[in-house]
Amino acid sequence: MVSKIIRTKAIVLRRTNYGEADRVVQLLTPEHGKLSVMAKSVRREKSKLAGGIELFARCDITVNFGKGELGILTGARLEQFYSNILSDYDRLQFAYEVIKQISKAADTIDEPAFFDLLDQALASLNDMNVYVKLTQAWFWLQLAILLGVGLNLSTDNNGMKLVEDAQYNFDAIDSVLVYHEKGSFSSDHIKLLRILSAQPPKVAMQVNGVNDLIDDCLWLAERAVAH
């Protein structure tokens, strides 16, 4: 078997110690999906690979695929380390959840955009000026879109266009908004959800009254993926 060398960007999904000094590293890449590689001697003090495969970071890696099932990591350089995530409990816990959900999705769907979603989610969590809940709602909405179950924010259960000054409830069974005079979701909620479906969380920070809307929007965004 002829060896194959690839160089690509990657984000670490999981690291597992192996033997005395090695580590099996599961990575997500834009071109090759999920990869499992062996990082030899990476746990030794003078390893040149260790600093290039940190959690919550975007890396540039080189992998040599030969006869074995695992590729051999021969080069790793840290491109962007989202270090602020480590200083905030809520951001850290959701970063783990993002990795878990993306890893699960990448097992069933070959979608290069999963890499970008993961990278952008980590970047947003790293931005201390962006509310964590905004990033959470944005992530669930984006993941739902990639999974093909994105929220319908255009029409209600009867196919009627969602209108200003109307109230809606959410039908979790059919994953659709339903008109109701005393519904939980207003046109302001729908506006914020539309922005989060199309723009980065940082843009949504500019919405007036975002603090009053985000809890409801996060609840609805979570329901989209659960459907």
Side-chain angles (χ1 to χ4, degrees):
M1 178 179 178
V2 178
S3 63
K4 173 185 175 183
I5 297 175
I6 65 169
R7 182 175 179 181
T8 181
K9 296 183 186 300
I11 297 174
V12 175
L13 299 174
R14 187 173 62 189
R15 301 182 299 185
T16 305
N17 290 343
Y18 183 84
E20 294 185 1
D22 301 341
R23 182 172 280 158
V24 176
V25 184
Q26 189 176 74
L27 304 158
L28 183 68
T29 70
E31 303 97 345
H32 308 284
K34 290 175 70 171
L35 295 176
S36 290
V37 303
M38 178 69 74
K40 293 187 174 182
S41 301
V42 72
R43 288 153 53 208
R44 298 195 187 282
E45 186 177 345
K46 296 183 179 181
S47 172
K48 295 181 179 180
L49 296 175
I53 49 172
E54 296 287 347
L55 289 172
F56 313 128
R58 185 178 67 246
C59 316
D60 189 84
I61 63 166
T62 303
V63 183
N64 190 337
F65 289 92
K67 297 180 179 180
E69 294 183 3
L70 295 177
I72 303 299
L73 188 69
T74 58
R77 178 179 62 84
L78 207 62
E79 192 172 88
Q80 179 66 55
F81 182 35
Y82 301 115
S83 58
N84 288 339
I85 292 174
L86 302 175
S87 65
D88 183 282
Y89 178 81
D90 291 335
R91 293 173 190 272
L92 178 62
Q93 291 305 303
F94 193 68
Y96 281 122
E97 181 66 19
V98 167
I99 289 173
K100 174 184 173 182
Q101 294 295 331
I102 293 290
S103 180
K104 178 181 176 182
D107 281 336
T108 57
I109 302 175
D110 183 14
E111 174 55 72
F114 284 140
F115 177 86
D116 291 330
L117 177 56
L118 177 54
D119 191 33
Q120 291 171 33
L122 294 177
S124 186
L125 288 170
N126 192 64
D127 188 341
M128 305 302 279
N129 294 316
V130 176
Y131 300 149
V132 174
K133 289 182 178 180
L134 272 179
T135 300
Q136 291 172 332
W138 169 85
F139 172 75
W140 292 122
L141 290 168
Q142 297 299 321
L143 181 60
I145 291 170
L146 292 181
L147 294 176
V149 293
L151 279 179
N152 180 356
L153 298 172
S154 299
T155 58
D156 64 15
N157 60 314
N158 293 316
M160 301 296 291
K161 184 178 179 180
L162 302 181
V163 296
E164 293 278 346
D165 302 322
Q167 302 289 122
Y168 298 89
N169 283 327
F170 182 67
D171 183 341
I173 296 177
D174 294 327
S175 190
V176 67
L177 291 167
V178 179
Y179 172 77
H180 193 283
E181 289 184 359
K182 297 182 179 180
S184 300
F185 300 97
S186 66
S187 56
D188 287 334
H189 287 102
I190 294 168
K191 175 184 176 182
L192 179 56
L193 287 164
R194 285 172 173 167
I195 291 173
L196 288 170
S197 295
Q199 300 290 338
K202 194 170 186 176
V203 174
M205 287 288 294
Q206 303 172 30
V207 174
N208 290 331
V210 65
N211 281 326
D212 298 326
L213 301 170
I214 187 55
D215 284 340
D216 292 334
C217 289
L218 174 56
W219 180 89
L220 191 54
E222 290 172 338
R223 301 287 87 69
V225 177
H227 180 66

